[in-house]
Amino acid sequence: DFLMLGRFSKRFLSLMCVFSCLLTLPFTFLIFFLDSPIASMLCFIPCMASSEMWHAAAGGIVLDVIPSSMRSSSTSLYFFVFSLLGGLGPSLVAAIPSSLSFRFSLLIVIVSGYVLALLFFSLSFFTISRDHSRCHSFFSSSSSSSSTKRVPLSSSLNNNASIFNPENEHLLNNL
């Protein structure tokens, strides 16, 4: 129950994000501090593979925590914030004092971004189950207290009735 609740639990996805950040950090240091360009480029391959590993897991967490009625809005908000934060990289590199070399400016921005991501993904590992239950209880209580109840069309039809049956034309007019 600690790690796996189902095939891919919320905690497992969060742990996969943490693992991705931990795997990326050593390769990032190697890219910037190896003297050989070939060795640096060879370290770039596993760095990029591990640094992109968390995207699918984080998207899965967003879709799993939010109720199905709000998934499209939450996904669009997630990608909006993701795009805004991703565009800050060049501005942050330029904001670092020019007394440091460009290499160290890049290293500071990249490593601090991954350390922050590691911190937040680690925090989510411990709080995601609680947040999931809070979110679903909040939206289930707010939807049950709404004054307008929507009745599904299938419940207003007979067992063998079809909406295309001419006898049920009044149901189409009431939509």
Side-chain angles (χ1 to χ4, degrees), residues 23-109:
L23 192 61
T24 301
L25 284 172
F27 288 113
T28 303
F29 280 107
L30 286 174
I31 288 171
F32 286 102
F33 290 117
L34 287 175
D35 292 331
S36 168
I38 305 261
S40 182
M41 288 305 288
L42 287 176
C43 286
F44 187 71
I45 294 169
C47 179
M48 287 309 295
S50 63
S51 70
E52 301 300 317
M53 188 168 62
W54 64 270
H55 290 286
I61 290 170
V62 169
L63 292 177
D64 194 30
V65 170
I66 302 296
S68 60
S69 63
M70 302 209 40
R71 283 189 181 154
S72 61
S73 300
S74 63
T75 303
S76 63
L77 181 65
Y78 166 73
F79 282 116
F80 175 72
V81 171
F82 179 75
S83 298
L84 282 178
L85 292 178
L88 285 177
S91 301
L92 291 174
V93 170
I96 293 178
S98 60
S99 61
L100 293 173
S101 69
F102 184 66
R103 174 194 293 192
F104 288 115
S105 298
L106 280 173
L107 186 65
I108 289 170
V109 170

Coordinates of all heavy atoms in Angstrom, one line a residue, residues 23-109:
L23 N 18.4 11.3 -11.6 CA 19.2 10.7 -12.7 C 19.8 11.8 -13.6 O 20.9 11.6 -14.1 CB 18.4 9.7 -13.5 CG 19.1 8.8 -14.5 CD1 20.1 7.9 -13.7 CD2 18.1 8.0 -15.2
T24 N 19.1 12.9 -13.7 CA 19.5 14.0 -14.6 C 20.7 14.8 -14.1 O 21.6 15.2 -14.8 CB 18.3 14.9 -15.0 OG1 17.3 14.1 -15.6 CG2 18.7 16.0 -15.9
L25 N 20.7 15.0 -12.8 CA 21.6 15.9 -12.2 C 23.1 15.5 -12.4 O 23.9 16.4 -12.8 CB 21.3 16.1 -10.7 CG 20.2 17.1 -10.4 CD1 19.8 17.0 -8.9 CD2 20.5 18.5 -10.9
P26 N 23.5 14.3 -12.2 CA 24.9 13.9 -12.4 C 25.3 14.1 -13.9 O 26.5 14.6 -14.2 CB 25.0 12.5 -12.0 CG 23.8 12.1 -11.3 CD 22.8 13.1 -11.6
F27 N 24.5 13.7 -14.8 CA 24.8 13.9 -16.2 C 24.9 15.4 -16.6 O 25.7 15.8 -17.5 CB 23.8 13.2 -17.1 CG 23.9 11.7 -17.1 CD1 22.9 10.9 -16.5 CD2 25.0 11.1 -17.6 CE1 23.0 9.6 -16.5 CE2 25.1 9.7 -17.5 CZ 24.1 8.9 -17.0
T28 N 24.1 16.2 -16.0 CA 24.2 17.7 -16.2 C 25.6 18.2 -15.8 O 26.2 19.0 -16.5 CB 23.1 18.4 -15.5 OG1 21.8 17.9 -15.9 CG2 23.1 19.9 -15.8
F29 N 26.0 17.8 -14.6 CA 27.4 18.2 -14.2 C 28.4 17.7 -15.1 O 29.4 18.4 -15.5 CB 27.6 17.8 -12.8 CG 27.0 18.6 -11.7 CD1 25.9 18.2 -11.0 CD2 27.5 19.9 -11.5 CE1 25.3 19.0 -10.1 CE2 26.9 20.7 -10.5 CZ 25.8 20.3 -9.8
L30 N 28.3 16.5 -15.6 CA 29.3 15.9 -16.5 C 29.4 16.7 -17.8 O 30.4 16.9 -18.4 CB 29.1 14.4 -16.7 CG 29.4 13.5 -15.5 CD1 28.9 12.1 -15.9 CD2 30.9 13.5 -15.3
I31 N 28.2 17.1 -18.3 CA 28.2 17.8 -19.6 C 29.0 19.1 -19.5 O 29.8 19.4 -20.4 CB 26.7 18.1 -20.0 CG1 26.0 16.9 -20.4 CG2 26.7 19.2 -21.1 CD1 24.5 17.0 -20.6
F32 N 28.9 19.8 -18.4 CA 29.5 21.1 -18.3 C 31.0 21.0 -17.8 O 31.8 21.9 -18.0 CB 28.8 22.0 -17.3 CG 27.5 22.5 -17.9 CD1 26.3 21.9 -17.6 CD2 27.5 23.5 -18.8 CE1 25.1 22.4 -18.2 CE2 26.4 24.0 -19.4 CZ 25.2 23.4 -19.1
F33 N 31.4 19.9 -17.2 CA 32.8 19.8 -16.6 C 33.7 18.9 -17.3 O 34.9 18.9 -17.0 CB 32.7 19.5 -15.1 CG 32.1 20.7 -14.3 CD1 31.0 20.5 -13.6 CD2 32.8 21.9 -14.3 CE1 30.4 21.6 -12.9 CE2 32.3 22.9 -13.6 CZ 31.1 22.8 -12.9
L34 N 33.2 18.1 -18.3 CA 34.2 17.2 -19.0 C 34.9 18.1 -20.0 O 34.4 19.0 -20.7 CB 33.4 16.1 -19.7 CG 32.9 15.0 -18.8 CD1 32.0 14.0 -19.6 CD2 34.0 14.3 -18.1
D35 N 36.2 17.8 -20.2 CA 37.0 18.5 -21.1 C 36.8 18.1 -22.6 O 36.9 18.9 -23.5 CB 38.5 18.4 -20.7 CG 38.8 19.1 -19.4 OD1 38.1 20.1 -19.1 OD2 39.7 18.6 -18.7
S36 N 36.5 16.9 -22.8 CA 36.4 16.4 -24.1 C 35.0 16.7 -24.7 O 34.0 16.3 -24.0 CB 36.6 14.9 -24.1 OG 36.2 14.3 -25.4
P37 N 34.9 17.3 -25.8 CA 33.5 17.6 -26.4 C 32.8 16.3 -26.7 O 31.5 16.2 -26.6 CB 33.8 18.4 -27.7 CG 35.2 18.8 -27.6 CD 35.9 17.9 -26.6
I38 N 33.5 15.2 -27.2 CA 32.8 14.0 -27.5 C 32.2 13.3 -26.2 O 31.1 12.9 -26.3 CB 33.9 13.0 -28.1 CG1 34.5 13.6 -29.3 CG2 33.2 11.7 -28.4 CD1 34.0 13.3 -30.7
A39 N 33.0 13.3 -25.2 CA 32.5 12.8 -23.9 C 31.3 13.6 -23.4 O 30.4 13.0 -22.8 CB 33.6 12.7 -22.9
S40 N 31.4 14.9 -23.5 CA 30.3 15.7 -23.1 C 29.0 15.5 -23.9 O 27.9 15.4 -23.4 CB 30.7 17.2 -23.3 OG 29.7 18.0 -22.8
M41 N 29.2 15.3 -25.2 CA 28.0 14.9 -26.0 C 27.5 13.6 -25.7 O 26.3 13.3 -25.8 CB 28.4 15.1 -27.5 CG 28.6 16.5 -28.0 SD 27.1 17.5 -27.7 CE 26.0 16.9 -28.8
L42 N 28.3 12.6 -25.4 CA 27.9 11.3 -25.0 C 27.1 11.3 -23.7 O 26.2 10.5 -23.5 CB 29.0 10.3 -24.9 CG 29.6 9.9 -26.3 CD1 30.8 9.0 -26.1 CD2 28.6 9.2 -27.1
C43 N 27.5 12.2 -22.8 CA 26.7 12.4 -21.5 C 25.4 13.1 -21.8 O 24.5 13.0 -21.0 CB 27.5 13.2 -20.5 SG 28.8 12.2 -19.8
F44 N 25.3 13.9 -22.9 CA 24.1 14.6 -23.2 C 22.9 13.7 -23.5 O 21.8 14.0 -23.2 CB 24.4 15.6 -24.4 CG 23.3 16.5 -24.7 CD1 23.0 17.6 -23.9 CD2 22.5 16.3 -25.8 CE1 22.0 18.4 -24.2 CE2 21.5 17.2 -26.1 CZ 21.2 18.3 -25.3
I45 N 23.2 12.5 -24.1 CA 22.2 11.6 -24.5 C 21.4 11.1 -23.3 O 20.2 11.2 -23.3 CB 22.7 10.5 -25.4 CG1 23.3 11.1 -26.7 CG2 21.7 9.4 -25.7 CD1 24.1 10.1 -27.5
P46 N 22.1 10.5 -22.3 CA 21.3 10.0 -21.2 C 20.7 11.2 -20.3 O 19.7 11.0 -19.7 CB 22.3 9.2 -20.3 CG 23.6 9.6 -20.8 CD 23.5 10.1 -22.2
C47 N 21.4 12.3 -20.4 CA 20.8 13.5 -19.7 C 19.5 13.9 -20.3 O 18.5 14.1 -19.5 CB 21.8 14.6 -19.7 SG 21.3 16.1 -18.9
M48 N 19.4 14.0 -21.6 CA 18.2 14.4 -22.2 C 17.1 13.3 -22.1 O 15.9 13.6 -21.9 CB 18.4 14.7 -23.7 CG 19.1 16.0 -23.9 SD 18.4 17.4 -23.0 CE 16.8 17.6 -23.8
A49 N 17.5 12.0 -22.1 CA 16.5 10.9 -22.0 C 15.9 10.9 -20.6 O 14.7 10.8 -20.4 CB 17.2 9.6 -22.3
S50 N 16.8 11.1 -19.6 CA 16.3 11.1 -18.2 C 15.6 12.4 -17.8 O 14.7 12.5 -17.0 CB 17.4 10.8 -17.2 OG 18.4 11.9 -17.3
S51 N 16.0 13.5 -18.5 CA 15.3 14.8 -18.1 C 14.0 14.9 -18.7 O 13.1 15.7 -18.2 CB 16.2 16.0 -18.6 OG 16.2 16.1 -20.0
E52 N 13.7 14.2 -19.8 CA 12.3 14.2 -20.4 C 11.4 13.2 -19.8 O 10.2 13.1 -20.2 CB 12.4 14.1 -21.9 CG 13.3 15.2 -22.5 CD 12.8 16.6 -22.3 OE1 11.5 16.8 -22.4 OE2 13.5 17.5 -22.0
M53 N 11.9 12.3 -19.0 CA 11.1 11.2 -18.5 C 10.0 11.6 -17.6 O 9.0 10.9 -17.6 CB 12.1 10.2 -17.7 CG 11.5 8.9 -17.3 SD 12.8 7.8 -16.7 CE 13.4 8.6 -15.3
W54 N 10.1 12.7 -17.0 CA 9.0 13.1 -16.0 C 7.8 13.7 -16.7 O 6.8 13.8 -16.0 CB 9.6 14.1 -15.0 CG 10.1 15.4 -15.5 CD1 11.3 15.7 -16.0 CD2 9.3 16.5 -15.7 NE1 11.4 16.9 -16.4 CE2 10.1 17.5 -16.3 CE3 8.0 16.9 -15.4 CZ2 9.7 18.8 -16.6 CZ3 7.5 18.2 -15.7 CH2 8.4 19.1 -16.3
H55 N 7.9 14.1 -17.9 CA 6.7 14.8 -18.6 C 5.5 13.9 -18.6 O 4.4 14.4 -18.2 CB 7.1 15.2 -20.0 CG 8.1 16.3 -20.1 ND1 7.7 17.6 -19.8 CD2 9.4 16.3 -20.4 CE1 8.8 18.4 -19.9 NE2 9.8 17.6 -20.3
A56 N 5.7 12.6 -19.0 CA 4.5 11.8 -19.1 C 3.9 11.5 -17.7 O 2.7 11.4 -17.5 CB 4.9 10.5 -19.8
A57 N 4.8 11.3 -16.7 CA 4.4 11.0 -15.3 C 3.7 12.2 -14.7 O 2.6 12.0 -14.1 CB 5.6 10.6 -14.5
A58 N 4.2 13.4 -14.9 CA 3.5 14.6 -14.4 C 2.2 14.8 -15.0 O 1.2 15.2 -14.4 CB 4.4 15.8 -14.6
G59 N 2.1 14.6 -16.3 CA 0.8 14.7 -17.0 C -0.2 13.6 -16.5 O -1.4 13.9 -16.3
G60 N 0.3 12.4 -16.2 CA -0.6 11.4 -15.6 C -1.0 11.8 -14.2 O -2.2 11.5 -13.9
I61 N -0.2 12.4 -13.5 CA -0.6 12.8 -12.1 C -1.7 13.9 -12.2 O -2.7 13.8 -11.5 CB 0.6 13.4 -11.3 CG1 1.6 12.2 -11.0 CG2 0.2 14.1 -10.1 CD1 2.9 12.7 -10.4
V62 N -1.5 14.8 -13.1 CA -2.6 15.9 -13.3 C -3.9 15.2 -13.7 O -4.9 15.6 -13.1 CB -2.1 16.9 -14.4 CG1 -3.2 17.8 -14.7 CG2 -0.9 17.7 -13.9
L63 N -3.9 14.3 -14.6 CA -5.1 13.7 -15.0 C -5.7 12.8 -14.0 O -6.9 12.6 -13.9 CB -4.9 12.9 -16.3 CG -4.6 13.7 -17.6 CD1 -4.3 12.8 -18.7 CD2 -5.7 14.7 -17.9
D64 N -4.9 12.2 -13.1 CA -5.4 11.3 -12.1 C -6.0 12.0 -10.9 O -6.9 11.6 -10.3 CB -4.2 10.4 -11.7 CG -4.8 9.2 -10.9 OD1 -5.9 8.7 -11.1 OD2 -4.0 8.7 -10.0
V65 N -5.4 13.1 -10.5 CA -5.8 13.8 -9.3 C -7.1 14.6 -9.6 O -8.0 14.7 -8.8 CB -4.7 14.8 -8.8 CG1 -5.2 15.7 -7.8 CG2 -3.6 14.0 -8.3
I66 N -7.3 15.2 -10.8 CA -8.4 16.0 -11.1 C -9.6 15.2 -11.5 O -9.5 14.2 -12.3 CB -8.1 17.0 -12.2 CG1 -6.9 17.9 -11.8 CG2 -9.2 17.9 -12.6 CD1 -7.1 18.8 -10.6
P67 N -10.8 15.5 -11.1 CA -12.0 14.8 -11.5 C -12.2 14.9 -13.0 O -11.8 15.8 -13.7 CB -13.2 15.4 -10.8 CG -12.6 16.2 -9.7 CD -11.2 16.5 -10.1
S68 N -12.9 13.9 -13.6 CA -13.0 13.8 -15.0 C -13.8 15.1 -15.6 O -13.5 15.4 -16.8 CB -13.7 12.6 -15.5 OG -15.0 12.5 -14.9
S69 N -14.6 15.7 -14.9 CA -15.3 16.8 -15.4 C -14.4 18.1 -15.6 O -14.8 19.0 -16.3 CB -16.5 17.2 -14.5 OG -16.0 17.6 -13.2
M70 N -13.3 18.1 -15.0 CA -12.4 19.2 -15.1 C -11.0 18.9 -15.7 O -10.1 19.7 -15.7 CB -12.1 19.8 -13.7 CG -13.4 20.2 -13.0 SD -13.3 21.5 -11.8 CE -12.2 22.6 -12.5
R71 N -10.9 17.7 -16.4 CA -9.6 17.3 -16.9 C -9.1 18.2 -18.0 O -8.0 18.5 -18.1 CB -9.7 15.9 -17.3 CG -9.6 14.9 -16.2 CD -9.4 13.5 -16.6 NE -9.4 12.7 -15.3 CZ -9.7 11.5 -15.3 NH1 -10.1 10.9 -16.4 NH2 -9.7 10.8 -14.2
S72 N -10.0 18.6 -18.9 CA -9.6 19.4 -20.0 C -9.1 20.8 -19.6 O -8.0 21.3 -20.0 CB -10.7 19.6 -21.1 OG -11.8 20.2 -20.5
S73 N -9.8 21.4 -18.6 CA -9.3 22.7 -18.1 C -8.0 22.6 -17.3 O -7.1 23.4 -17.5 CB -10.4 23.3 -17.2 OG -11.6 23.4 -17.9
S74 N -7.9 21.5 -16.5 CA -6.7 21.4 -15.7 C -5.5 21.0 -16.6 O -4.4 21.5 -16.4 CB -6.9 20.3 -14.7 OG -7.1 19.0 -15.3
T75 N -5.7 20.3 -17.7 CA -4.6 19.9 -18.6 C -4.2 21.2 -19.3 O -3.0 21.4 -19.5 CB -5.0 18.9 -19.6 OG1 -5.5 17.7 -18.9 CG2 -3.9 18.5 -20.5
S76 N -5.1 22.0 -19.8 CA -4.7 23.2 -20.5 C -4.0 24.2 -19.5 O -3.0 24.8 -19.9 CB -5.9 23.9 -21.1 OG -6.8 24.3 -20.1
L77 N -4.4 24.3 -18.3 CA -3.8 25.1 -17.3 C -2.4 24.6 -17.0 O -1.4 25.4 -16.9 CB -4.6 25.2 -16.0 CG -4.0 26.1 -14.9 CD1 -3.9 27.5 -15.3 CD2 -4.8 25.9 -13.6
Y78 N -2.2 23.3 -16.9 CA -0.9 22.7 -16.7 C 0.1 23.0 -17.8 O 1.2 23.4 -17.5 CB -1.1 21.1 -16.5 CG 0.2 20.4 -16.6 CD1 1.1 20.4 -15.6 CD2 0.5 19.6 -17.8 CE1 2.3 19.7 -15.7 CE2 1.7 18.9 -17.9 CZ 2.6 18.9 -16.8 OH 3.7 18.2 -16.9
F79 N -0.4 22.9 -19.0 CA 0.5 23.1 -20.2 C 0.8 24.6 -20.3 O 1.8 25.0 -20.8 CB 0.0 22.5 -21.5 CG 0.3 21.1 -21.6 CD1 -0.8 20.2 -21.6 CD2 1.6 20.6 -21.6 CE1 -0.5 18.8 -21.7 CE2 1.8 19.2 -21.7 CZ 0.8 18.4 -21.7
F80 N -0.2 25.5 -19.9 CA 0.0 26.9 -20.0 C 1.1 27.3 -19.0 O 2.1 28.0 -19.3 CB -1.3 27.6 -19.6 CG -1.1 29.1 -19.5 CD1 -0.9 29.9 -20.7 CD2 -1.2 29.8 -18.3 CE1 -0.8 31.3 -20.6 CE2 -1.1 31.1 -18.2 CZ -0.9 31.9 -19.3
V81 N 1.1 26.8 -17.7 CA 2.1 27.2 -16.7 C 3.4 26.5 -17.1 O 4.5 27.2 -17.0 CB 1.6 26.7 -15.3 CG1 2.7 26.8 -14.3 CG2 0.4 27.5 -14.9
F82 N 3.4 25.3 -17.6 CA 4.6 24.6 -18.1 C 5.3 25.5 -19.2 O 6.5 25.6 -19.2 CB 4.2 23.2 -18.6 CG 5.3 22.4 -19.1 CD1 6.2 21.9 -18.2 CD2 5.5 22.3 -20.4 CE1 7.3 21.1 -18.7 CE2 6.6 21.5 -20.9 CZ 7.5 20.9 -20.0
S83 N 4.5 26.0 -20.1 CA 5.1 26.8 -21.2 C 5.7 28.1 -20.7 O 6.7 28.6 -21.1 CB 4.1 27.0 -22.3 OG 3.7 25.8 -22.8
L84 N 5.0 28.7 -19.8 CA 5.5 30.0 -19.2 C 6.8 29.8 -18.4 O 7.7 30.6 -18.6 CB 4.4 30.6 -18.3 CG 3.2 31.3 -18.9 CD1 2.3 31.8 -17.9 CD2 3.7 32.5 -19.8
L85 N 6.8 28.8 -17.6 CA 8.0 28.5 -16.8 C 9.2 28.1 -17.7 O 10.3 28.4 -17.4 CB 7.8 27.5 -15.7 CG 6.8 27.9 -14.6 CD1 6.6 26.8 -13.6 CD2 7.4 29.1 -13.9
G86 N 8.9 27.3 -18.8 CA 9.9 26.9 -19.7 C 10.6 28.1 -20.4 O 11.7 28.0 -20.8
G87 N 9.8 29.1 -20.7 CA 10.3 30.3 -21.4 C 11.2 31.2 -20.5 O 11.8 32.1 -21.0
L88 N 11.2 30.9 -19.2 CA 12.0 31.8 -18.3 C 13.5 31.4 -18.3 O 14.3 32.3 -17.9 CB 11.5 31.6 -16.8 CG 10.2 32.3 -16.5 CD1 9.8 32.0 -15.1 CD2 10.3 33.8 -16.7
G89 N 13.9 30.3 -18.8 CA 15.3 29.9 -18.8 C 16.2 30.9 -19.4 O 17.2 31.3 -18.8
P90 N 16.0 31.3 -20.6 CA 16.9 32.3 -21.2 C 17.0 33.6 -20.5 O 18.1 34.2 -20.3 CB 16.4 32.5 -22.6 CG 15.6 31.3 -22.9 CD 15.1 30.8 -21.6
S91 N 15.9 34.0 -19.9 CA 15.9 35.3 -19.2 C 16.6 35.1 -17.9 O 17.3 36.1 -17.4 CB 14.4 35.7 -18.8 OG 13.7 35.9 -20.0
L92 N 16.5 34.0 -17.2 CA 17.3 33.7 -16.0 C 18.8 33.6 -16.2 O 19.6 34.1 -15.4 CB 16.7 32.5 -15.3 CG 15.3 32.6 -14.7 CD1 14.9 31.2 -14.2 CD2 15.2 33.6 -13.6
V93 N 19.2 33.0 -17.3 CA 20.6 32.9 -17.7 C 21.1 34.3 -17.9 O 22.2 34.7 -17.4 CB 20.8 32.0 -18.9 CG1 22.2 32.1 -19.4 CG2 20.5 30.6 -18.6
A94 N 20.4 35.2 -18.6 CA 20.8 36.6 -18.8 C 20.9 37.4 -17.6 O 21.6 38.4 -17.5 CB 19.9 37.2 -19.9
A95 N 20.1 37.1 -16.6 CA 20.0 37.8 -15.4 C 21.2 37.6 -14.4 O 21.4 38.4 -13.5 CB 18.7 37.6 -14.6
I96 N 21.9 36.5 -14.6 CA 23.0 36.1 -13.7 C 24.1 37.1 -14.1 O 24.4 37.4 -15.3 CB 23.4 34.7 -13.9 CG1 22.3 33.8 -13.4 CG2 24.7 34.4 -13.2 CD1 22.5 32.3 -13.6
P97 N 24.9 37.6 -13.1 CA 25.9 38.6 -13.4 C 26.9 38.1 -14.4 O 27.3 36.9 -14.5 CB 26.6 38.8 -12.0 CG 25.6 38.3 -11.0 CD 24.8 37.3 -11.7
S98 N 27.4 39.1 -15.2 CA 28.3 38.7 -16.3 C 29.7 38.4 -15.8 O 30.6 38.0 -16.6 CB 28.4 39.9 -17.3 OG 28.9 41.0 -16.6
S99 N 30.0 38.5 -14.5 CA 31.3 38.1 -14.0 C 31.5 36.5 -14.0 O 32.6 36.1 -14.1 CB 31.5 38.5 -12.5 OG 30.5 38.0 -11.7
L100 N 30.3 35.8 -14.1 CA 30.4 34.4 -14.3 C 30.4 34.0 -15.8 O 29.9 34.8 -16.6 CB 29.2 33.7 -13.6 CG 29.1 33.7 -12.1 CD1 27.8 33.2 -11.7 CD2 30.3 33.0 -11.5
S101 N 31.0 32.9 -16.1 CA 31.1 32.5 -17.5 C 29.7 32.1 -17.9 O 28.8 31.7 -17.1 CB 32.1 31.5 -17.7 OG 31.7 30.3 -17.1
F102 N 29.5 32.0 -19.2 CA 28.2 31.5 -19.7 C 27.9 30.1 -19.3 O 26.8 29.7 -19.0 CB 28.2 31.6 -21.3 CG 26.9 31.3 -21.9 CD1 25.8 32.0 -21.7 CD2 26.8 30.1 -22.7 CE1 24.6 31.7 -22.3 CE2 25.6 29.8 -23.3 CZ 24.5 30.6 -23.1
R103 N 29.0 29.3 -19.2 CA 28.9 27.9 -18.8 C 28.3 27.8 -17.4 O 27.4 27.0 -17.1 CB 30.2 27.2 -18.8 CG 30.2 25.8 -18.3 CD 31.6 25.3 -18.0 NE 32.3 25.1 -19.2 CZ 33.5 24.4 -19.3 NH1 34.0 23.9 -18.2 NH2 34.1 24.3 -20.4
F104 N 28.8 28.6 -16.5 CA 28.3 28.6 -15.1 C 26.9 29.2 -14.9 O 26.1 28.7 -14.1 CB 29.3 29.3 -14.1 CG 30.6 28.5 -13.9 CD1 31.8 28.9 -14.4 CD2 30.5 27.2 -13.3 CE1 32.9 28.2 -14.2 CE2 31.6 26.5 -13.1 CZ 32.9 27.0 -13.5
S105 N 26.6 30.1 -15.8 CA 25.2 30.7 -15.8 C 24.2 29.6 -16.2 O 23.2 29.5 -15.5 CB 25.1 31.9 -16.7 OG 26.0 32.9 -16.3
L106 N 24.5 28.9 -17.2 CA 23.7 27.8 -17.7 C 23.6 26.7 -16.6 O 22.5 26.2 -16.3 CB 24.2 27.2 -19.0 CG 23.9 27.9 -20.3 CD1 24.6 27.2 -21.4 CD2 22.4 27.8 -20.5
L107 N 24.7 26.4 -16.0 CA 24.7 25.3 -15.0 C 23.9 25.7 -13.8 O 23.1 24.9 -13.2 CB 26.1 25.0 -14.6 CG 26.3 23.9 -13.6 CD1 25.9 22.6 -14.3 CD2 27.8 23.8 -13.1
I108 N 24.0 27.0 -13.3 CA 23.2 27.5 -12.2 C 21.7 27.4 -12.5 O 20.9 26.9 -11.6 CB 23.6 28.9 -11.8 CG1 25.0 28.9 -11.2 CG2 22.6 29.5 -10.9 CD1 25.6 30.3 -11.0
V109 N 21.3 27.8 -13.6 CA 19.9 27.8 -14.0 C 19.3 26.4 -14.1 O 18.3 26.1 -13.5 CB 19.6 28.7 -15.2 CG1 18.2 28.5 -15.7 CG2 19.9 30.1 -15.0

